Amino acid sequence: MAEMTLPPVAKTIHLECKKCACERYFVVVAHTSATSAKVKCEVCGSQKTYKLPSKNPQPRQLAGAAAKRKEAAAQAKKNAHTDEYNNLMASVQGEALKYSMKSNFPQNTKISHPKFGDGFVRLSYADKIEVVFADEVRALVHNRQ
Ligand SMILES: [Zn+2]
């Protein structure tokens, strides 16, 4: 079965922007799942989720108002996360360090991950780091000898 794949991170795609109220180029910021990606309008900078069209859509488990509330709550959480991410990334000067599990990353540094993109090391332990990425917080190993 031929699966459609998401456009790669940093690629631009043409989509409708609600804020600009017209079609704009959106840059792919990060993949949030196998079928969805976070994209950002190149003109106004507003972000939205791009989803691959599904041939077999999942049955909707929540209908109407409940689904809307859940969506709004998720969006608010996402916006808060995006704000935190942007603030953290802006707080550190210089280039992001390339992530490798063999390297040692101190707290409050920027790293660049081949899959998850740029992230901020919020906490650093002996063998793992907690990193704020554009889409979510992830625990990564480091300092592996
Ligand atoms: Zn826009």
Side-chain angles (χ1 to χ4, degrees), residues 17-22 24 26 41-46:
C17 178
K18 281 198 178 113
K19 205 164 172 187
C20 296
C22 66
R24 294 292 192 202
F26 281 72
C41 174
E42 286 197 331
V43 176
C44 72
S46 73

Side-chain angles (χ1 to χ4, degrees), residues 84-131:
E84 186 194 7
Y85 172 78
N86 289 336
N87 288 339
L88 290 173
M89 293 306 277
S91 72
V92 183
Q93 302 295 316
E95 289 286 296
L97 304 167
K98 209 167 180 185
Y99 172 74
S100 152
M101 66 170 69
K102 290 198 170 102
S103 304
N104 182 10
F105 300 100
Q107 202 174 324
N108 301 332
T109 50
K110 274 195 294 194
I111 64 164
S112 165
H113 191 281
K115 188 167 164 198
F116 307 132
D118 284 357
F120 178 89
V121 181
R122 184 162 71 177
L123 290 168
S124 180
Y125 304 99
D127 58 352
K128 80 178 183 189
I129 47 178
E130 193 177 288
V131 186

Side-chain angles (χ1 to χ4, degrees), residues 1-139:
M1 165 173 112
E3 286 275 5
M4 281 187 71
T5 53
L6 286 167
V9 170
K11 191 178 163 62
T12 49
I13 52 177
H14 208 218
L15 294 169
E16 169 92 22
C17 178
K18 281 198 178 113
K19 205 164 172 187
C20 296
C22 66
E23 296 252 301
R24 294 292 192 202
Y25 280 106
F26 281 72
V27 63
V28 179
V29 178
H31 291 174
T32 49
S33 78
T35 56
S36 63
K38 182 183 277 189
V39 296
K40 186 171 152 190
C41 174
E42 286 197 331
V43 176
C44 72
S46 73
Q47 297 197 356
K48 67 174 190 172
T49 300
Y50 168 78
K51 281 196 169 65
L52 283 180
S54 171
K55 279 180 195 155
N56 303 306
Q58 298 290 314
R60 300 205 60 166
Q61 296 188 333
L62 295 165
K68 279 214 176 77
R69 268 201 304 278
K70 200 180 170 189
E71 219 165 80
Q75 190 59 46
K77 200 175 158 191
K78 208 185 255 180
N79 290 344
H81 175 83
T82 301
D83 286 348
E84 186 194 7
Y85 172 78
N86 289 336
N87 288 339
L88 290 173
M89 293 306 277
S91 72
V92 183
Q93 302 295 316
E95 289 286 296
L97 304 167
K98 209 167 180 185
Y99 172 74
S100 152
M101 66 170 69
K102 290 198 170 102
S103 304
N104 182 10
F105 300 100
Q107 202 174 324
N108 301 332
T109 50
K110 274 195 294 194
I111 64 164
S112 165
H113 191 281
K115 188 167 164 198
F116 307 132
D118 284 357
F120 178 89
V121 181
R122 184 162 71 177
L123 290 168
S124 180
Y125 304 99
D127 58 352
K128 80 178 183 189
I129 47 178
E130 193 177 288
V131 186
V132 182
F133 287 104
D135 55 345
E136 62 181 344
V137 178
R138 291 183 175 85

